[in-house]
């Protein structure tokens, strides 16, 4: 690919910026796309082209870019209080946000971090420290689901079961255990999604029966394991997991970092199972995609186990920017938008329109397991291309659309603002990009390789 003068930002970026989740050498052929601005669901390139943000900028953006309500809240907050340390101090945005999150979840104690992986770290540390404070220090190990993703810091990698993210760092990590995923695609002939869920829960039960004495917590992504390729499961699994955790005295950590804030149709995914987790991890959509912030919510019982005269029994986790007022204010403005726009109800209509527009994609002869939950769509593509994801991404960009398949799973996770013409653009260009990508398959199918390693 030849670079035009407009690509100078991309060129400078390659010289100085180490991009995430990327083999930098690949950018020799495909430079990063330089973005000058964004409005609503659109990203505007420095070259004047625009791209519909079909994956909400890595699942963070809920109400479109540059939303005036969030902007106004941030401008107001910036003029009042930019930041103050949260140890020994407090401020209105962090108090109000904690109260709102408590009212939404029933978990009344909020601890803040700056990103999703930090929320995982906080939840794991809090769970193990809880058991230690209870006089049961042996309960300090963790179990997660096959294909689970909970972030990539060294602690979070212990419970992230995606080999490519873990391989090189495995010697640094105290690996957790993995039990089978309730992924509904694993159904045997005649089995329903609920049957798969019950089978996976039985395996979890067997595992806990043996290991509960050394297990602090089960961590899972309720309803959709996003990084695994939008693997969806029946809420029955969550109900049974909750019952098993109660029976074996193991915490249940709901990692709602990707699925929280309306993504699966309810405000939080675990609510569809009618259960209450012991910990909820939130990030990504928490600030509507404007600023980094994460929160771990927990119960009175967990909180009480740390409440003591002895500082060593307190929860010790220090982050310079904990509870940053700007980020908390953005989160409050985002929660206000759920109310003022009636987003959850509006998304029911919007999702039906996207379903209808995407019907040709879902019916495509090379698509398997077309599926949707709330505002998450996924299609598994049968292809001989080992690098389907990269090729598809490029074809979609050429059509003014940002989609970034995970392996052979094409998915869309758009912000909650698409109008009819934007829905049409998403559906039409997603299908056109699929046809164009499949046209790149070698005529000789024997030349097919195994798929490339999977990154979101
Ligand atoms: C993205 C994600 C994380 C990690 O969040 P970061 O902010 O990227 O560290 C953790 N859990 C889930 C389910 C996620 O999707």
């Amino acid at each position: 690919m030849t670079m035009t003068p407009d690509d100078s930002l991309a060129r400078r970026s390659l010289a100085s910026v180490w991009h995430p989740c990327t083999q930098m050498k690949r950018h020799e052929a495909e430079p990063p796309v330089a973005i000058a601005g964004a409005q609503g669901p659109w990203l505007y390139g420095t070259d004047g082209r625009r791209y519909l943000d079909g994956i909400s900028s890595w699942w963070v953006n809920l109400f479109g870019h540059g939303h005036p309500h969030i902007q106004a809240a941030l401008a107001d907050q910036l003029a009042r209080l930019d930041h103050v340390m949260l140890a020994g101090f407090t401020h209105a945005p962090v108090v109000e946000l904690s109260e709102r999150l408590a009212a939404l979840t029933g978990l009344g104690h909020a601890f803040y971090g700056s990103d999703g992986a930090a929320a995982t770290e906080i939840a794991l540390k809090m769970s193990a420290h809880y058991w230690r404070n209870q006089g049961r220090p042996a309960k300090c190990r963790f179990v997660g689901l096959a294909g689970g993703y909970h972030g990539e810091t060294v602690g979070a990698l212990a419970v992230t079961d995606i080999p490519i993210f873990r391989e090189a760092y495995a010697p640094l990590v105290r690996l957790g255990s993995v039990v089978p995923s309730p992924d509904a695609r694993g159904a045997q002939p005649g089995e329903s999604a609920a049957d798969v869920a019950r089978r996976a829960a039985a395996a979890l039960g067997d595992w806990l029966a043996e290991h509960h004495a050394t297990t602090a917590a089960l961590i899972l992504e309720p309803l959709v394991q996003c990084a695994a390729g939008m693997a969806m499961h029946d809420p029955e699994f969550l109900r049974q997991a909750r019952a098993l955790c109660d029976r074996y005295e193991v915490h249940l950590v709901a990692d709602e970092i990707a699925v929280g804030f309306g993504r699966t149709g309810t405000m939080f995914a675990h609510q569809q199972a009618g259960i209450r987790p012991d910990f909820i991890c939130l990030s990504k959509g928490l600030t509507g995609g404007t600023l980094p912030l994460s929160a771990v919510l927990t119960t009175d019982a967990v909180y009480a186990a740390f409440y003591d005269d002895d500082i060593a029994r307190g929860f010790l986790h220090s982050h310079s920017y904990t509870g940053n007022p700007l980020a908390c204010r953005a989160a409050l403005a985002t929660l206000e938008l759920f109310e003022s726009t009636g987003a959850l109800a509006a998304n029911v209509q919007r999702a039906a329109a996207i379903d209808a527009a995407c019907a040709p994609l879902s019916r495509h002869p090379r698509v398997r397991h077309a599926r949707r939950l709330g505002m998450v769509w996924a299609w598994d593509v049968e292809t001989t291309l080992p690098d389907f994801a990269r090729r598809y991404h490029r074809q979609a960009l050429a059509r003014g659309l940002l989609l970034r398949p995970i392996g052979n799973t094409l998915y869309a996770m758009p912000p909650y603002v698409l109008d009819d013409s934007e829905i049409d653009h998403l559906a039409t260009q997603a299908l056109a990009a699929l046809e164009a990508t499949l046209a790149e398959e070698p005529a000789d199918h024997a030349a097919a390789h195994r798929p490339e390693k999977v990154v979101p």
Side-chain angles (χ1 to χ4, degrees):
M1 187 175 289
T2 50
M3 291 197 185
T4 68
D6 283 337
D7 291 323
S8 66
L9 255 191
R11 203 191 309 271
R12 283 163 53 204
S13 191
L14 293 183
S16 58
V17 181
W18 202 332
H19 291 264
C21 206
T22 297
Q23 172 47 266
M24 293 299 292
K25 188 160 193 285
R26 289 198 177 150
H27 278 317
E28 284 177 8
E30 295 159 39
V33 182
I35 296 298
Q39 194 58 50
W42 295 99
L43 302 168
Y44 293 93
T46 52
D47 60 359
R49 303 192 58 220
R50 66 175 192 166
Y51 309 90
L52 188 77
D53 189 351
I55 59 168
S56 299
S57 289
W58 252 357
W59 322 344
V60 302
N61 188 284
L62 301 184
F63 292 102
H65 296 270
H67 196 287
H69 183 65
I70 301 177
Q71 280 187 341
L74 279 174
D76 178 73
Q77 187 58 44
L78 190 57
R80 289 171 195 275
L81 172 65
D82 47 6
H83 183 69
V84 62
M85 61 192 282
L86 201 63
F89 294 86
T90 194
H91 50 81
V94 77
V95 173
E96 285 167 23
L97 179 60
S98 306
E99 291 171 349
R100 300 278 308 254
L101 293 174
L104 285 168
T105 61
L107 300 194
H109 306 277
F111 194 98
Y112 291 90
S114 305
D115 56 42
T120 297
E121 303 270 346
I122 289 162
L124 299 185
K125 282 176 67 176
M126 226 180 233
S127 172
H129 196 168
Y130 168 90
W131 293 115
R132 180 186 164 89
N133 281 351
Q134 299 292 87
R136 301 171 73 179
K139 286 173 78 69
C140 64
R141 305 200 70 103
F142 304 100
V143 59
L145 303 184
Y149 182 92
H150 303 287
E152 292 170 57
T153 50
V154 170
L157 274 179
V159 288
T160 283
D161 182 44
I162 297 193
I164 182 145
F165 294 142
R166 198 148 83 172
E167 263 162 23
Y169 318 107
L172 313 182
V173 175
R174 184 167 169 271
L175 284 185
S177 297
V178 169
V179 291
S181 165
D183 182 352
R185 290 172 300 177
Q188 309 289 330
E191 260 192 338
S192 68
D195 292 333
V196 181
R198 280 185 280 270
R199 195 150 44 76
L204 171 64
D206 291 345
W207 190 92
L208 285 174
E210 198 173 332
H211 300 285
H212 65 89
T214 52
T215 302
L218 163 68
I219 183 166
L220 50 75
E221 300 155 85
L223 299 188
V224 190
Q225 293 181 275
C226 296
M230 306 300 152
M232 300 181 183
H233 59 252
D234 192 278
E236 177 63 12
F237 180 77
L238 302 176
R239 281 188 287 274
Q240 297 212 7
R242 176 70 274 181
L244 288 165
C245 286
D246 287 341
R247 176 167 160 205
Y248 288 111
E249 296 187 295
V250 164
H251 287 137
L252 176 60
V253 181
D255 178 349
E256 296 248 5
I257 290 166
V259 294
F261 299 104
R263 191 47 79 177
T264 66
T266 42
M267 194 61 173
F268 299 105
H270 70 270
Q271 293 168 335
Q272 293 183 40
I275 59 156
R276 197 186 74 158
D278 301 293
F279 297 89
I280 301 173
C281 298
L282 302 173
S283 190
K284 290 204 166 106
L286 176 57
T287 61
T290 54
L291 286 168
L293 179 69
S294 63
V296 176
L297 312 177
T298 193
T299 60
D300 292 344
V302 169
Y303 182 74
F306 290 82
Y307 203 78
D308 199 272
D309 291 324
D310 179 2
I311 185 156
R313 286 177 64 90
F315 183 60
L316 300 176
H317 187 93
S318 328
H319 246 323
S320 312
Y321 279 99
T322 298
N324 172 258
L326 287 163
C328 290
R329 192 66 191 278
L332 283 166
T334 302
L335 291 176
E336 284 155 14
L337 282 174
F338 273 96
E339 282 174 17
S340 64
T341 67
L344 296 183
N347 275 351
V348 174
Q349 309 297 316
R350 190 171 285 115
I354 296 175
D355 278 346
C358 289
L361 182 56
S362 299
R363 283 197 305 265
H364 192 282
R366 300 288 282 280
V367 165
R368 303 284 174 268
H369 300 296
R371 57 196 181 277
R372 169 175 76 85
L373 185 66
M375 292 290 283
V376 183
W377 285 259
W379 305 269
D380 297 345
V381 177
E382 238 170 40
T383 173
T384 57
L385 291 168
D387 52 353
F388 168 79
R390 259 202 296 159
R391 288 171 184 268
Y392 184 94
H393 175 61
R394 194 163 51 203
Q395 289 288 359
L397 282 180
R399 289 166 177 76
L401 178 61
L402 165 54
L403 290 178
R404 203 178 134 109
I406 300 172
N408 287 1
T409 299
L410 169 62
Y411 75 92
M413 234 157 117
Y416 309 160
V417 297
L418 300 193
D419 66 20
D420 287 346
S421 77
E422 289 155 353
I423 288 171
D424 182 66
H425 180 85
L426 170 71
T428 308
Q429 301 311 326
L431 180 61
L434 179 64
E435 296 291 8
T437 309
L438 294 175
E440 294 178 17
E441 285 182 343
D444 176 10
H445 280 207
H449 297 89
R450 284 173 45 76
E452 276 196 340
K453 292 189 172 172
V454 166
V455 290

